[in-house]
Amino acid sequence: MIIQQFYDKGLAHASYAIVRTGKMIVIDPARDPQPYYDFADQHNADITGVIETHPHADFISSHLEIHQTTGAVIYASKLTGAEYPHESFDDGDLIQLNDIKLKAINTPGHSPDSICILVEDEDGKEQAIFTGDTLFVGDVGRPDLRENAGNITAKKEELAKAMYHSTRDKLMKLPHSVKVYPAHGPGSLCGKNMSPDLESTIGRELRENYALQLMSEPEFVKTIIAAQPFVPKYFGSDVELNKKGAPGFYDSVKGILRLKGSATLKSEALVIDTRSNTDFWRGHEKGAINLQNGGKFETWLGAIVGPDERFYLVADSEEELEKVVGKAAKIGYEKNIIAGISAPEYPVLPERNFNLPRFTTNPERYTVVDVRNEIETEDNLIFENALVIPLPELRERLNEIPEDKPIVVHCAAGYRSAAAASIVAAKISAVPVLDLSEAVVEIGRQKVEH
């Protein structure tokens, strides 16, 4: 038996292939199915099945496309309410992969329709479990994403209770040697305390995972609900699209209009400029948002831009444009792109001057906007009187920012503040809008030392 993990750092998403004597099953596939086709070819295997552990909120799955291309059967819990061709896969159901068995275990908690997949070898020994968003290395899945999305909705408190029993009554009773393969790693917004490791064992999780330690159900519920990360705007939309099944990746991406150089854009249309912060402030489309192409571009795109908003996507080259279009498609946002623009030409803007020593000496002369998340700012303000507006909420809360003093925007390291400064500057022109950028790291260090 071969188990292969495919890991997408941008979304901290892990998908898997299981190969056994010429047959292959794919679990929780990413939007682009080509890596799974390539792996199947490499091992002379036929893709016979695709398993969805639940309708994902943070990425679009290619389960329907793989089915349409290869004829593979899609397996999902009957609770999913799947609108694509599938076979139900719930407690006690088995998939025979030649001489090994894949067994479904219903594990509600992250979602009402979550399942895990237990693998038994030819001798009936339990070898591995694919835990989806139920159990991570060092954490369990957050329970607050299905209050308003999916075939079945449930309050976070009820799902947290379900997670307590899914872990205690099912997963924690497995042999300690069983390998754990989760659907996410560190940086995912589907949990809050994930280890850097991308696989584990039941024994290790029993020893080290805070959520699997001895505690009552009320204690567990309180612990799991507390301090969860923010929920991006696109999560509910992706649950619904995954329940239906998304269109093919390459056809969707290929259909996007591409423009080069100067272009006349629709008035009032949203523009997402993915170039570097330096290039952006040298010249950009009026009102554009500077969301630089980086490691978490797709997450921040779906956090700032709503799933029904249309936008232009700007990049500094055709190659970079294809990269960001592909990233947008990971979360189903290729349908939102009016056109992609590469190598744009903009009039040069006046140079922006930020007197950092003047600011650090007299911060009270500025309106400081801290765009970090609430978890980061609670009892940890870098500037005492800062106005805290998390980046995902900024576009909706711009009217809270006073315009009587120059505005300085900051986050933790500079990426979010670049986006935030562009959002604020597009709305407020009466006073300068300045980006503290990486300088905040040094200021924060000095504060700690003194």
Side-chain angles (χ1 to χ4, degrees):
M1 176 174 61
I2 300 171
I3 295 176
Q4 176 69 30
Q5 183 184 75
F6 301 82
Y7 194 69
D8 177 356
K9 289 184 179 179
L11 290 170
H13 163 227
S15 56
Y16 299 90
I18 310 172
V19 178
R20 183 67 171 174
T21 57
K23 292 184 179 180
M24 178 169 141
I25 298 284
V26 182
I27 298 174
D28 292 335
R31 181 71 191 277
D32 182 358
Q34 193 59 47
Y36 313 109
Y37 300 155
D38 293 342
F39 191 75
D41 289 343
Q42 180 184 343
H43 292 276
N44 297 313
D46 294 323
I47 301 176
T48 58
V50 183
I51 306 175
E52 287 289 283
T53 58
H54 64 292
H56 302 278
D58 58 317
F59 72 94
I60 295 301
S61 171
S62 58
H63 54 273
L64 179 57
E65 182 176 1
I66 294 173
H67 162 73
Q68 293 170 335
T69 303
T70 68
V73 176
I74 306 174
Y75 299 91
S77 170
K78 61 186 177 185
L79 301 176
T80 300
E83 299 175 26
Y84 46 80
H86 69 286
E87 291 188 12
S88 61
F89 195 50
D90 292 283
D91 269 337
D93 290 338
L94 298 173
I95 299 172
Q96 196 77 38
L97 187 61
N98 291 311
D99 57 347
I100 65 173
K101 295 177 181 178
L102 279 61
K103 181 186 296 185
I105 303 174
N106 287 89
T107 51
H110 171 70
S111 66
D113 40 33
S114 288
I115 61 171
C116 294
I117 303 115
L118 184 64
V119 180
E120 295 181 353
D121 66 15
E122 62 273 22
D123 298 320
K125 183 179 179 182
E126 296 163 327
Q127 294 277 7
I129 187 165
F130 297 89
T131 54
D133 286 19
T134 299
L135 178 64
F136 302 125
V137 183
D139 201 359
V140 292
R142 64 189 297 176
D144 59 339
L145 299 181
R146 289 291 294 274
E147 295 191 313
N148 300 296
N151 184 54
I152 301 174
T153 59
K155 295 296 183 182
K156 59 187 176 183
E157 292 82 5
E158 294 304 313
L159 285 174
K161 291 177 183 178
M163 180 69 81
Y164 181 82
H165 292 285
S166 291
T167 52
R168 269 72 184 166
D169 300 342
K170 297 183 177 182
L171 301 185
M172 292 169 65
K173 291 183 177 180
L174 294 171
H176 289 202
S177 61
V178 170
K179 290 187 176 180
V180 173
Y181 295 105
H184 292 291
S188 168
L189 293 174
C190 291
K192 62 180 179 180
N193 191 49
M194 296 183 208
S195 163
D197 296 331
L198 301 180
E199 62 181 69
S200 185
T201 63
I202 291 294
R204 174 183 167 181
E205 294 311 299
L206 289 172
R207 293 190 305 271
E208 301 178 9
N209 191 320
Y210 77 96
L212 304 190
Q213 303 312 303
L214 183 64
M215 67 182 88
S216 67
E217 182 185 279
E219 289 174 318
F220 179 89
V221 170
K222 182 179 179 181
T223 300
I224 296 304
I225 289 176
Q228 288 290 353
F230 73 95
V231 179
K233 293 179 171 68
Y234 76 96
F235 269 25
S237 174
D238 275 21
V239 169
E240 297 299 337
L241 183 52
N242 280 319
K243 189 166 73 75
K244 296 176 182 177
F249 172 73
Y250 287 103
D251 287 345
S252 292
V253 166
K254 186 172 62 176
I256 296 170
L257 177 65
R258 268 79 164 177
L259 305 172
K260 188 173 181 179
S262 299
T264 301
L265 310 187
K266 294 180 180 179
S267 62
E268 305 303 318
L270 187 62
V271 178
I272 303 298
D273 192 322
T274 67
R275 297 174 301 151
S276 72
N277 188 239
T278 301
D279 288 345
F280 176 84
W281 287 110
R282 192 174 291 129
H284 59 262
E285 192 73 32
K286 183 179 179 181
I289 296 174
N290 183 210
L291 191 59
Q292 300 169 88
N293 181 18
K296 296 292 181 184
F297 169 81
E298 46 270 64
T299 295
W300 288 112
L301 176 65
I304 294 171
V305 179
D308 297 321
E309 290 188 275
R310 302 265 289 160
F311 57 87
Y312 290 94
L313 195 59
V314 176
D316 61 10
S317 68
E318 292 181 23
E319 181 181 5
E320 285 299 302
L321 180 60
E322 295 312 309
K323 289 179 181 178
V324 291
V325 166
K327 288 182 176 183
K330 288 185 195 178
I331 64 170
Y333 269 35
E334 80 282 1
K335 62 178 172 48
N336 302 51
I337 301 173
I338 301 169
I341 303 170
S342 61
E345 299 172 1
Y346 298 115
V348 177
L349 295 172
E351 187 174 350
R352 302 165 76 239
N353 295 312
F354 186 5
N355 190 322
L356 185 59
R358 181 184 300 169
F359 167 70
T360 54
T361 304
N362 302 287
E364 71 280 356
R365 296 183 180 179
Y366 299 78
T367 295
V368 180
V369 182
D370 187 336
V371 297
R372 293 176 297 160
N373 299 321
E374 291 180 2
I375 295 174
E376 299 171 272
T377 56
E378 187 177 8
D379 301 322
N380 187 32
L381 285 178
I382 297 172
F383 300 98
E384 184 177 353
N385 296 316
L387 177 62
V388 178
I389 307 179
L391 177 57
E393 303 172 17
L394 184 60
R395 292 177 64 205
E396 293 75 30
R397 297 176 58 186
L398 286 170
N399 62 343
E400 297 178 25
I401 302 175
E403 301 182 29
D404 57 338
K405 294 185 288 188
I407 298 165
V408 173
V409 183
H410 83 85
C411 60
Y415 181 87
R416 286 173 288 177
S417 66
S422 66
I423 291 170
V424 176
K427 167 72 165 48
I428 297 175
S429 57
V431 294
V433 178
L434 307 166
D435 177 8
L436 191 53
S437 192
E438 295 91 346
V440 73
V441 177
E442 177 62 20
I443 293 172
R445 184 186 65 79
Q446 293 174 359
K447 179 182 177 183
V448 170
E449 290 179 350
H450 295 89

